[in-house]
Amino acid sequence: MIEPGNPALVPDSTSLLNEFGIDRKWLAERQLIPYPEAADLVVAQIDPDGREHLLTPQTAAAWEGLVQAAEADGIVLHITSAFRSVSRQAEICRHKQAAGQSTEEIFTQSAPPGFSEHHTGCAIDVGTPGCPPCIPEFETTPAFAWLSAHASSFGFHLSFPRNNPQGFVFEPWHWRFALTP
Ligand SMILES: [Zn+2]
């Protein structure tokens, strides 16, 4: 029988960190925190091509309220990416490595596996019509202006503003749900 968290299926952080040559000192400098992987997830959005976006039930409910309020103000928001498992994050990082990116480059754009908010089921990469997903120009959209003014009333906060202590690039599209900031 396969148990959840079977190391053969979900590698532990230590082996993943070793794989990418990441040590504890570097993690501490970057102020990166390991998060548990969400176990309880619901479908928050289904794309026209059938792709499902998963979030924790609480995040999905808060997101629905936010989307409706935005719509009432004439702003259309959708999910471009939500829950992503630790193993999927590792695959993405391996892919970037194979494409010749340096560790430094990879981990200013992506969190090391085990350290991404996306596997908590509480983080959303937000999209809006007319703006390609996850580009810095999202900052100039009415959607970003609306989120900056109203997202916190729904419990959503921008995770990586400019000059964030974790050393990630500015991600105007990435918002996380938390009851407290
Ligand atoms: Zn993100």
Side-chain angles (χ1 to χ4, degrees):
M1 188 185 148
I2 296 165
E3 300 289 356
N6 181 329
L9 297 173
V10 183
D12 68 70
S13 299
T14 311
S15 64
L16 282 170
L17 293 176
N18 290 341
E19 178 185 340
F20 291 103
I22 291 171
D23 60 28
R24 303 275 159 199
K25 187 169 162 276
W26 182 87
L27 286 172
E29 280 167 8
R30 288 279 301 264
Q31 301 186 25
L32 294 174
I33 306 159
Y35 299 109
E37 189 167 69
D40 190 13
L41 294 162
V42 295
V43 177
Q45 180 184 300
I46 303 173
D47 289 348
D49 67 0
R51 182 181 172 194
E52 293 184 340
H53 299 279
L54 307 176
L55 291 169
T56 67
Q58 215 181 8
T59 309
W63 171 249
E64 204 182 308
L66 182 152
V67 167
Q68 282 171 8
E71 217 167 85
D73 288 342
I75 302 292
V76 179
L77 303 174
H78 58 256
I79 299 172
T80 64
S81 186
F83 174 79
R84 205 154 61 218
S85 70
V86 176
S87 357
R88 175 75 190 117
Q89 184 75 4
E91 268 176 41
I92 291 170
C93 296
R94 279 184 203 117
H95 185 77
K96 291 183 173 191
Q97 214 171 30
Q101 289 195 28
S102 70
T103 307
E104 188 64 32
E105 271 178 298
I106 297 169
F107 296 123
T108 52
Q109 287 164 16
S110 307
F115 297 79
S116 168
E117 292 181 352
H118 279 286
H119 69 257
T120 66
C122 299
I124 302 173
D125 293 335
V126 180
T128 196
C131 182
C134 306
I135 60 164
E137 289 74 15
F138 184 76
E139 186 189 14
T140 65
T141 63
F144 181 76
W146 190 92
L147 287 165
S148 300
H150 304 289
S152 63
S153 332
F154 297 87
F156 284 89
H157 305 274
L158 187 68
S159 295
F160 306 113
R162 281 197 172 80
N163 303 315
N164 57 81
Q166 295 93 341
F168 290 118
V169 290
F170 172 44
E171 293 191 1
W173 59 85
H174 179 113
W175 294 75
R176 74 165 195 284
F177 176 71
L179 291 175
T180 50

